[in-house]
């Protein structure tokens, strides 16, 4: 039975004149910055252009806090918790890449002096600003980044202008897969080319992300909640029809324009998914739940979606802590920040390959049918004692398995050590790996002896290193207070 | 970005900090004209770099330098 909020009409933020005016100002400033960076590139003066994505910034802040306040300090623990949360989000999104997932609200702390929101000490305004730049041949992506900068500033504008009762509303964004990602993916499928990453979008299922920002009226902070669902049934037309049912005329908006048009909603995000499912079910004449086709008699239990997601994500905490340990280690080693996003993604990919290796269903959700079949073949070879063939096949499967976004298929410098082979066992033993550790050879980092090829064993609390050339080994314990 | 002087061209290559060096292991095994997961040293965007036998090219900012 629908409650009052579930039948309330939505309102585009820009229907309010003052809000529209303020948002247009932010948009104009964002485009000015894109133009300035274009001029810098044209002049060859690229020093001031920031990295589009700084994957080591949280780890750097954690190291700095450890140095200043010590590893027992709240400052260090908070920064490290932030890094673990970032890693959990990366892994959890990838773990359900090809299906739906719910992500519980994440707090963004408000600082009145700068009128900016921070996530674990890092300015979100700065992050969205850093992503602004011209991208030749991809104006759609530039538009999306400008939209995201405006989206980030919108809660502040709404609060400043006092247009709505903040406690009861969500500021909602619908972020569909870009046309470029869909076109590129289709072309690569036709030619058999390797997965390209597609700027972090998931064109395989035309995935759409739905976001709500809500205010915590007591602290002034905001909370960001997200759901990702397939866009195969919930396509742009279905979204427009669903919005019409809540009083929003969106027929004139293409995907990017809708992405840039936040709207005010009083219902919750799962109510919105239910509305989209209902509309899609009617349009496609089939039963849709969380964006996916289900049997006609399927019981749609939206109430259990959050709990199930929580249970799934709780199982990923150890992996997230291990990945955080890897990132801390990269940062400590002074690893090149420009290579870090791809390197981190490569590490997470190897972690997820381990999960997918023993779980056909998970493999399909994480990497798709081709990787799932490949891993099954690897498993079959291991079971039959064909270890060399299994290792060869596994290398092939890993190389072809799609990345999570920043990185495409292939390897970005990390090599998996297959512990079912004699050589893999020897290396795992040399590096002091324990069951459950992720063991990798890093072909980018250089040992003190000057050569590359250090083998690492990581888990949630330690890093072991072994140089395959000079045979030097090292073990470090990472001490983290358990929350 | 297209017509660079020789001086500009060399300056850009010097500014690569090794990112314009091709690591054969990172080249797409299926298509040797592509190197995925590269942060362009100029526009700082993560791109799939385009390779020719003598050059490396960023599709995002259109800068081309010698390998």
């Amino acid at each position: 039975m629908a409650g009052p909020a579930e039948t309330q009409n939505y309102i585009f933020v820009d229907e309010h004149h003052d809000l529209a005016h303020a948002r247009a100002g932010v948009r104009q400033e964002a485009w000015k910055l894109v133009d300035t960076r274009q001029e810098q590139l044209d002049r060859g003066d690229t020093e001031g252009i920031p990295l589009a994505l700084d994957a080591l910034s949280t780890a750097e802040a954690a190291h700095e806090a450890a140095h200043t306040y010590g590893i027992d300090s709240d400052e260090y623990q908070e920064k490290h918790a932030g890094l673990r949360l970032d890693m959990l989000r990366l892994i959890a999104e990838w773990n359900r890449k090809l299906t739906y997932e719910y992500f519980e609200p994440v707090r963004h702390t408000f600082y009145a002096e700068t009128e900016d929101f921070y996530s674990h000490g890092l300015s979100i305004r700065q992050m969205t600003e850093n992503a602004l730049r011209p991208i030749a041949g991809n104006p759609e992506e530039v538009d999306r980044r400008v939209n995201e900068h405006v989206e980030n500033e919108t809660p502040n504008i709404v609060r400043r202008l006092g247009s709505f009762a903040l406690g009861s509303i969500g500021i909602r964004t619908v972020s569909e897969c870009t046309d470029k990602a869909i076109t590129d993916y289709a072309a690569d499928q036709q030619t058999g080319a390797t997965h390209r990453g597609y700027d972090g979008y998931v064109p395989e299922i035309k995935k759409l992300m739905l976001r709500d920002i809500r205010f915590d009226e007591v602290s002034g902070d905001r909370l960001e909640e997200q759901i990702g669902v397939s866009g195969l049934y919930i396509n742009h037309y279905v979204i427009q029809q669903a919005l019409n049912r809540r009083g929003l005329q969106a027929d004139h908006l293409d995907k990017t324009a809708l992405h840039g048009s936040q709207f005010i909603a009083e219902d919750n995000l799962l109510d919105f998914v239910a509305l989209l499912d209902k509309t899609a079910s009617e349009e496609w004449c089939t039963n849709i739940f969380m964006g996916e086709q289900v049997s006609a008699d399927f019981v749609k239990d939206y109430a259990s979606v959050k709990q199930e997601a929580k249970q799934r994500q709780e199982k990923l905490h150890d992996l997230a802590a291990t990945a955080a340990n890897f990132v801390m280690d990269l940062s400590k080693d002074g690893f090149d920040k420009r290579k870090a996003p791809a390197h981190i993604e490569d590490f997470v990919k190897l972690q997820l390959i381990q999960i997918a290796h023993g779980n056909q269903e998970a493999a399909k959700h994480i990497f798709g049918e081709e990787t799932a079949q490949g891993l099954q073949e690897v498993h079959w070879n291991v079971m039959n004692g064909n270890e060399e063939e299994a290792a060869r096949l596994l290398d092939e499967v890993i190389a072809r398995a799609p990345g999570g976004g920043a990185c495409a298929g292939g390897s970005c410098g990390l090599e998996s050590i297959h512990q079912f082979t004699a050589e893999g066992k020897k290396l795992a033993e040399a590096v002091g790996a324990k069951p459950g550790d992720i063991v990798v050879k890093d072909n980018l980092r250089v040992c003190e002896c000057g050569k590359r090829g250090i083998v690492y064993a990581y888990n949630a609390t330690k890093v072991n290193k072994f140089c395959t050339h000079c045979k030097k080994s090292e073990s470090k314990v990472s001490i983290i207070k358990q929350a | 970005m297209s017509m660079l002087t020789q001086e500009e061209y060399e300056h850009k290559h010097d500014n690569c900090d090794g990112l314009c060096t091709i690591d054969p292991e990172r080249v797409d095994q299926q298509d040797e004209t592509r190197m995925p997961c590269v942060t362009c040293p100029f526009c700082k965007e993560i791109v799939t770099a385009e390779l020719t036998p003598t050059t490396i090219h960023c599709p995002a900012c259109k800068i081309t330098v010698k390998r």
Side-chain angles (χ1 to χ4, degrees):
Chain A
M1 183 108 172
E6 293 159 44
T7 52
Q8 285 274 349
N9 276 351
Y10 301 147
I11 304 166
F12 276 127
V13 170
D14 285 342
E15 279 181 30
H16 192 292
H17 177 265
D18 292 345
L19 290 176
H21 182 70
R23 276 163 47 91
V26 173
R27 189 174 294 277
Q28 202 177 7
E29 287 303 312
W31 277 113
K32 261 192 209 165
L33 190 54
V34 174
D35 291 342
T36 304
R37 286 180 178 158
Q38 179 69 67
E39 285 161 18
Q40 279 180 273
L41 279 166
D42 288 345
R43 284 198 309 270
D45 166 25
T46 59
E47 296 259 314
I49 298 178
L51 290 169
L53 173 66
D54 187 347
L56 296 184
S57 54
T58 314
E60 274 177 358
H63 280 306
E64 209 175 292
H67 180 73
T68 312
Y69 305 104
I71 55 168
D72 285 329
S73 65
D74 290 344
E75 286 82 356
Y76 171 72
Q77 296 298 335
E78 191 223 336
K79 298 282 187 298
H80 199 278
L83 181 59
R84 290 201 303 278
L85 184 69
D86 286 350
M87 290 299 109
L88 179 64
R89 192 56 177 267
L90 172 67
I91 294 168
E93 277 195 32
W94 201 347
N95 187 46
R96 300 277 292 175
K97 184 178 170 185
L98 300 175
T99 185
Y100 68 86
E101 187 58 310
Y102 169 83
F103 301 96
E104 64 181 20
V106 173
R107 180 172 294 272
H108 296 162
T109 312
F110 182 66
Y111 282 87
E113 306 87 74
T114 55
E115 286 207 332
D116 193 4
F117 291 94
Y118 289 74
S119 180
H120 300 283
L122 300 173
S123 157
I124 298 167
R125 177 181 295 154
Q126 191 66 56
M127 285 184 223
T128 59
E129 239 175 51
N130 286 352
L132 297 173
R133 70 204 53 230
I135 306 172
N138 198 355
E140 193 182 9
E141 178 61 19
V142 183
D143 284 340
R144 294 293 184 106
R145 293 185 188 186
V146 169
N147 282 347
E148 274 160 18
H149 185 63
V150 176
E151 178 190 346
N152 177 63
E153 295 301 318
T154 297
N156 238 345
I157 296 170
V158 169
R159 173 155 51 197
R160 199 168 54 231
L161 296 178
S163 322
F164 297 94
L166 299 181
S168 60
I169 59 155
I171 300 173
R172 189 162 296 161
T173 300
V174 177
S175 178
E176 292 171 87
C177 186
T178 60
D179 287 331
K180 184 171 191 321
I182 292 168
T183 309
D184 286 351
Y185 175 70
D188 288 345
Q189 284 297 102
Q190 276 195 335
T191 58
T194 320
H195 195 279
R196 277 192 251 173
Y198 313 105
D199 295 322
Y201 297 100
V202 187
E204 292 94 324
I205 58 165
K206 300 178 181 170
K207 195 166 198 173
L208 65 128
M209 299 302 291
L210 309 166
R211 286 190 285 277
D212 259 7
I213 295 273
R214 288 182 186 272
F215 293 94
D216 177 343
E217 286 189 290
V218 178
S219 63
D221 299 345
R222 71 183 191 193
L223 298 153
E224 188 187 67
E225 184 183 29
Q226 284 203 70
I227 296 178
V229 290
S230 166
L232 295 176
Y233 288 99
I234 303 176
N235 58 20
H236 189 60
Y237 176 76
V238 166
I239 296 167
Q240 286 172 323
Q241 295 309 304
L243 292 176
N244 279 340
R245 293 180 185 192
R246 288 289 180 276
L248 278 192
Q249 182 49 254
D251 294 357
H252 62 295
L253 299 175
D254 66 15
K255 290 197 280 187
T256 299
L258 178 60
H259 175 249
S261 305
Q262 279 64 48
F263 55 92
I264 304 291
E266 290 191 27
D267 59 355
N268 70 48
L269 211 45
L270 274 165
D271 293 333
F272 183 48
V273 177
L275 168 68
L276 292 169
D277 281 345
K278 188 169 184 287
T279 313
S281 297
E282 287 165 16
E283 292 292 337
W284 290 93
C285 299
T286 186
N287 202 18
I288 305 292
F289 174 68
M290 296 301 289
E292 293 169 14
Q293 190 176 24
V294 290
S295 61
D297 58 351
F298 183 88
V299 180
K300 297 182 182 183
D301 183 7
Y302 290 99
S304 66
V305 168
K306 286 185 187 180
Q307 190 54 31
E308 284 169 10
K310 197 175 173 193
Q311 283 168 356
R312 264 193 302 274
Q313 289 166 26
E314 267 168 9
K315 289 181 191 155
L316 301 173
H317 278 270
D318 260 6
L319 284 187
T322 302
N325 211 3
F326 175 74
V327 179
M328 289 293 285
D329 197 38
L330 285 184
S331 167
K332 192 165 187 298
D333 283 354
F335 192 79
D336 191 329
K337 282 182 156 192
R338 294 166 301 187
K339 295 179 182 173
H343 213 52
I344 294 165
E345 198 164 288
D346 217 11
F347 183 81
V348 171
K349 179 177 173 181
L350 294 179
Q351 287 185 303
L352 290 172
I353 284 278
Q354 278 193 353
I355 292 182
H357 201 163
N359 185 333
Q360 180 84 353
E361 203 55 30
K364 282 184 198 166
H365 288 154
I366 302 170
F367 295 110
E369 200 71 48
E370 187 191 334
T371 307
Q373 278 176 12
L375 288 173
Q376 202 170 32
E377 213 176 318
V378 171
H379 186 65
W380 187 85
N381 274 285
V382 174
M383 298 307 285
N384 285 284
N386 305 326
E387 284 150 7
E388 270 186 35
E389 177 62 4
R392 190 193 64 75
L393 271 174
L394 184 52
D395 284 334
E396 249 180 50
V397 170
I398 292 170
R400 280 199 65 82
C407 192
S411 163
C412 299
L414 285 183
E415 202 181 296
S416 175
I417 300 296
H418 309 320
Q419 294 183 56
F420 52 79
T421 64
E423 199 192 336
K425 273 181 202 149
K426 226 161 84 180
L427 279 173
E429 200 177 310
V431 75
K434 296 275 181 287
D437 286 3
I438 176 156
V439 185
V440 293
K441 188 173 181 183
D442 193 325
N443 292 318
L444 289 188
R445 278 187 277 178
V446 182
C447 176
E448 284 166 3
C449 72
K451 292 194 173 156
R452 292 179 184 195
I454 308 174
V455 175
Y456 294 82
Y458 288 94
N459 66 25
T461 56
K462 68 135 201 256
V463 185
N464 288 357
K465 302 181 185 184
F466 172 72
C467 176
T468 51
H469 298 283
C470 70
K471 313 292 179 203
K472 189 185 167 198
S473 61
E474 188 188 329
S475 181
K476 279 188 302 182
V477 176
S478 153
I479 302 164
I480 306 299
K481 275 183 195 165
Q482 292 303 313
Chain B
M1 197 71 194
S2 49
M3 299 297 286
L4 297 177
T5 65
Q6 185 65 26
E7 195 183 344
E8 283 170 334
Y9 196 83
E10 280 162 13
H11 176 69
K12 287 198 181 308
H13 190 264
D14 289 345
N15 282 347
C16 279
D17 294 339
L19 284 172
C20 300
T21 309
I22 313 296
D23 179 351
E25 283 191 10
R26 298 185 62 196
V27 175
D28 189 332
Q29 300 302 306
Q30 285 189 288
D31 181 354
E32 291 181 359
T33 66
R34 300 200 320 187
M35 188 163 76
C37 313
V38 181
T39 300
C40 169
F42 307 110
C43 69
K44 322 279 170 55
E45 185 69 20
I46 299 168
V47 296
T48 297
E50 294 164 9
L51 309 177
T52 72
T54 54
T55 62
I56 177 166
H57 172 76
C58 169
C61 66
K62 301 283 179 196
I63 287 177
T64 305
V65 292
K66 275 184 196 163
R67 289 172 63 162

